[in-house]
């Protein structure tokens, strides 16, 4: 395993886990210094990454005089990029256009043409009654289409691609807080929140969940916060896992 060390706002490495373990035992590296290895989203203290390693002083043996490891210099590790509102909106538009095709066939198969014809006839005599009848007739179709959309998002975001076709098209993916693929259950829970949003606020766009992303640190919508997921830039077949650069005043983690 290759481990990077963060020190004084810079990143150094990579080093093997054996080297890090030895430096922790010697006291050359401190347990509160931050480390990262491939697959992590956030940096974590070395003491958490290697909980079994303690300085020699803990066993009654004086530690070696502190001297820094032979750092090879700052490296170009990727910074985590969290997908913002407009990228996610673009993905939503593409997915919506894709879903229009099955939605249309399903709606027609459930009698949309007859409902529309009846609506137009009733509008000529009683507009209020026509609107009420139309809303009631459309409810079964609406519920079926919502279930189809729910299954579409849930399966794609829990798949090996970690993204719907729309998200893949704009180059973003859904991960857990460790940058890994989410489970089917977590994907279902995440999209159930989105579905609840649409049920409570029947507007053309499920904006409530997404607008929150503009104000959260890691650009998480309501459904991301509740499901503990991130939406990151980059497809699953693209390069290194995201790593955040250290910032002053951060408590135990590199901020993103």
């Amino acid at each position: 395993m290759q481990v990077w060390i963060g020190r004084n706002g810079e990143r150094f490495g990579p080093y093997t886990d054996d080297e890090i373990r030895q430096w922790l035992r010697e006291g050359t590296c401190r347990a509160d210094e931050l480390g990262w290895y491939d697959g992590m989203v956030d940096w974590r203290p070395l003491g958490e990454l290697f909980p079994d390693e303690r300085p020699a002083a803990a066993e009654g043996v004086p530690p070696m005089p502190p001297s820094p490891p032979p750092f090879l210099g700052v490296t170009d590790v990727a910074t985590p990029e969290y997908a913002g509102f407009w990228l996610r909106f673009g993905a939503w538009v593409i997915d919506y256009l894709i879903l229009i095709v099955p939605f249309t066939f399903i709606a027609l198969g459930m009698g949309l043409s007859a409902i529309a014809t009846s609506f137009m006839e009733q509008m000529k005599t009683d507009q209020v009654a026509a609107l009420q009848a139309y809303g009631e007739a459309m409810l079964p179709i609406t519920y079926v289409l919502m279930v189809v959309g729910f299954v579409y998002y849930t399966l794609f975001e829990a798949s090996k691609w970690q993204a719907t076709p729309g998200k893949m098209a704009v180059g973003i993916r859904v991960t857990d807080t460790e940058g890994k693929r989410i489970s089917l259950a977590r994907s279902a829970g995440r999209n159930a929140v989105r579905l609840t949003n649409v049920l409570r606020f029947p507007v053309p766009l499920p904006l409530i969940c997404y607008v929150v992303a503009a104000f959260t640190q890691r650009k998480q919508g309501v459904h991301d916060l509740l499901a503990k997921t991130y939406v990151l830039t980059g497809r699953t077949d693209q390069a290194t896992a995201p790593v955040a650069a250290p910032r002053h005043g951060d408590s135990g983690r590199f901020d993103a």
Side-chain angles (χ1 to χ4, degrees):
M1 179 173 65
Q2 298 293 303
V3 182
W4 304 83
I5 295 177
R7 181 177 287 179
N8 298 325
E10 296 181 328
R11 293 163 289 196
F12 301 95
Y15 308 105
T16 66
D17 55 339
D18 289 336
E19 289 176 310
I20 303 296
R21 291 178 187 278
Q22 179 181 348
W23 292 331
L24 284 170
R25 289 193 298 267
E26 294 172 350
T28 304
C29 284
R30 301 190 314 273
D32 60 350
E33 290 187 292
L34 300 178
W36 176 88
Y37 57 81
D38 188 32
M40 296 173 58
V41 172
D42 290 326
W43 292 69
R44 297 186 184 279
L46 293 174
E48 291 184 14
L49 300 182
F50 304 97
D52 297 331
E53 303 302 335
R54 294 289 184 271
E59 302 173 1
V61 180
M64 293 177 62
S67 58
F71 287 151
L72 303 179
V74 180
T75 57
D76 295 327
V77 181
T79 305
E81 295 186 21
Y82 300 89
F85 174 81
W86 290 111
L87 268 179
R88 297 173 73 162
F89 175 76
W92 179 88
V93 170
I94 294 170
D95 286 323
Y96 181 76
L97 293 175
I98 292 172
L99 285 169
I100 279 179
V101 176
F103 281 2
T104 301
F105 282 106
I106 292 170
L108 290 174
M110 294 182 68
L112 178 62
S113 296
I115 293 172
T117 301
S118 175
F119 172 71
M120 296 303 295
E121 292 296 326
Q122 283 185 294
M123 284 291 288
K124 297 175 182 178
T125 56
D126 189 341
Q127 294 182 352
V128 174
L131 289 170
Q132 184 177 357
Y134 178 78
E136 292 175 356
M138 285 297 295
L139 274 179
I141 297 177
T142 301
Y143 289 142
V144 170
L145 297 186
M146 291 175 68
V147 170
V148 171
F150 171 78
V151 171
Y152 171 89
Y153 277 92
T154 298
L155 293 182
F156 270 116
E157 290 177 353
S159 71
K160 64 179 181 179
W161 301 292
Q162 300 177 229
T164 60
K167 286 183 173 67
M168 285 187 275
V170 300
I172 60 179
R173 69 190 189 280
V174 180
T175 75
D176 64 12
T177 54
E178 298 295 330
K180 299 175 182 177
R181 173 180 171 181
I182 62 175
S183 67
L184 188 62
R186 180 172 294 192
S187 182
R190 179 178 186 273
N191 285 288
V193 177
R194 294 174 62 252
L195 192 62
T196 302
N197 174 71
V198 175
L199 285 171
R200 293 186 60 187
F201 304 96
V203 293
L205 301 178
L207 289 177
I208 305 300
C209 280
Y210 293 107
V211 169
V212 174
F215 305 98
T216 53
Q217 183 181 22
R218 291 176 172 83
K219 301 182 180 178
Q220 293 169 286
V222 173
H223 50 315
D224 295 313
L225 291 168
L226 293 177
K228 297 182 179 178
T229 58
Y230 296 147
V231 179
L232 304 178
T233 59
R235 293 186 295 272
T236 54
D237 58 351
Q238 292 178 335
T240 60
V243 183
R247 294 182 182 176
H248 295 294
D250 187 35
S251 56
R253 288 191 179 185
F254 282 6
D255 198 357

